[in-house]
């Protein structure tokens, strides 16, 4: 079974989805999430919102580090992000979500097929081949299902005790 799971994992190496609706929905969802995260990173607006006292304190602090406020412009802000890059991030996140969902759905199906169903079929084959069950009449196979005498007596004693207690 582990070989089948490994095969499923290997299949996921190529980008593919048949569920375009799920992919598009997740792409929109992740685009909104990335936009929300990036909107809180508007450094330009935060710098503009500082009063002159705080601006002076910031220049002083940066100066003690050997930096200037011009260096702050190197930090990416929401106005400098590339829209195509954001779409790529959202698309990648959406694809991972779709592929994960497909993997989560397929592994249990393969386990059921390769372990449970195969086991049941093998049991049925052995019962047919070795014991001739399903080919004989019910009277001929009754002894396979007959309760042993000791167990039968124990069950009857317990049933009588139950009746007495009620």
């Amino acid at each position: 079974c582990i070989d089948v799971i490994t095969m499923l994992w290997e299949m996921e190496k190529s980008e593919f989805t048949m569920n375009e609706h799920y992919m598009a929905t997740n792409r929109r969802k992740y685009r909104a999430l990335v936009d929300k995260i990036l909107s809180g990173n508007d450094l330009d607006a935060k710098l503009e919102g500082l009063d002159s006292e705080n601006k002076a304190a910031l220049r002083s602090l940066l100066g003690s580090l050997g930096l200037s406020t011009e260096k702050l412009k190197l930090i990416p802000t929401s106005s400098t992000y590339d829209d195509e890059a954001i779409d790529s991030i959202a698309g990648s996140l959406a694809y991972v979500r779709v592929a994960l969902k497909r993997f989560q759905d397929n592994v249990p199906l393969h386990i059921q097929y390769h372990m449970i169903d195969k086991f049941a079929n093998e049991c049925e084959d052995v019962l047919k081949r070795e014991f001739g069950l399903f080919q004989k009449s019910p009277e001929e196979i009754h002894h396979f299902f007959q309760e042993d005498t000791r167990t039968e007596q124990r069950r009857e004693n317990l049933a009588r005790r139950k009746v007495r207690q009620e």
Side-chain angles (χ1 to χ4, degrees):
C1 186
I2 200 72
D3 293 336
V4 174
I5 294 172
T6 303
M7 177 197 66
L8 288 172
W9 185 253
E10 291 295 320
M11 285 176 15
E12 291 301 327
K13 287 186 177 178
S14 63
E15 294 181 21
F16 171 74
T17 182
M18 290 184 68
N19 196 340
E20 289 297 325
H21 172 72
Y22 191 60
M23 179 74 175
T25 301
N26 276 292
R27 180 185 290 267
R28 282 191 302 275
K29 178 178 121 182
Y30 285 116
R31 173 61 197 236
L33 179 67
V34 170
D35 285 341
K36 181 179 178 186
I37 290 168
L38 295 177
S39 69
N41 192 24
D42 196 359
L43 188 60
D44 294 334
K46 289 178 183 175
L47 288 174
E48 291 298 320
L50 290 176
D51 59 19
S52 58
E53 187 178 312
N54 285 331
K55 282 182 185 179
L58 180 62
R59 280 191 203 100
S60 170
L61 180 62
L62 289 172
S64 67
L65 296 172
L67 302 171
S68 69
T69 53
E70 292 300 313
K71 295 286 185 181
L72 291 177
K73 293 184 179 179
L74 298 176
I75 299 173
T77 63
S78 60
S79 62
T80 61
Y81 286 117
D82 184 6
D83 198 48
E84 191 174 320
I86 295 171
D87 275 340
S88 294
I89 292 168
S92 297
L93 290 170
Y95 182 76
V96 167
R97 177 71 177 212
V98 169
L100 178 63
K101 177 74 170 126
R102 181 176 55 242
F103 191 73
Q104 288 172 330
D105 289 345
N106 284 331
V107 169
L109 288 174
H110 280 275
I111 289 172
Q112 179 180 350
Y113 174 75
H114 288 284
M115 294 181 76
I116 299 169
D117 294 347
K118 291 264 181 159
F119 176 74
N121 291 336
E122 287 293 320
C123 286
E124 183 178 338
D125 290 345
V126 167
L127 288 172
K128 285 179 181 176
R129 189 175 54 250
E130 301 295 325
F131 299 108
L133 297 181
F134 309 121
Q135 296 171 354
K136 297 182 178 182
S137 68
E139 293 79 26
E140 292 176 299
I141 61 170
H142 179 70
H143 66 279
F144 286 117
F145 304 101
Q146 192 170 8
E147 191 173 42
D148 111 327
T149 312
R150 186 169 173 234
T151 306
E152 184 179 1
Q153 289 172 350
R154 174 94 172 125
R155 185 178 44 77
E156 288 172 359
N157 285 338
L158 289 172
R160 280 194 294 265
R161 280 187 195 171
K162 183 180 174 188
V163 168
R164 276 184 275 166
Q165 289 177 353
E166 293 174 349

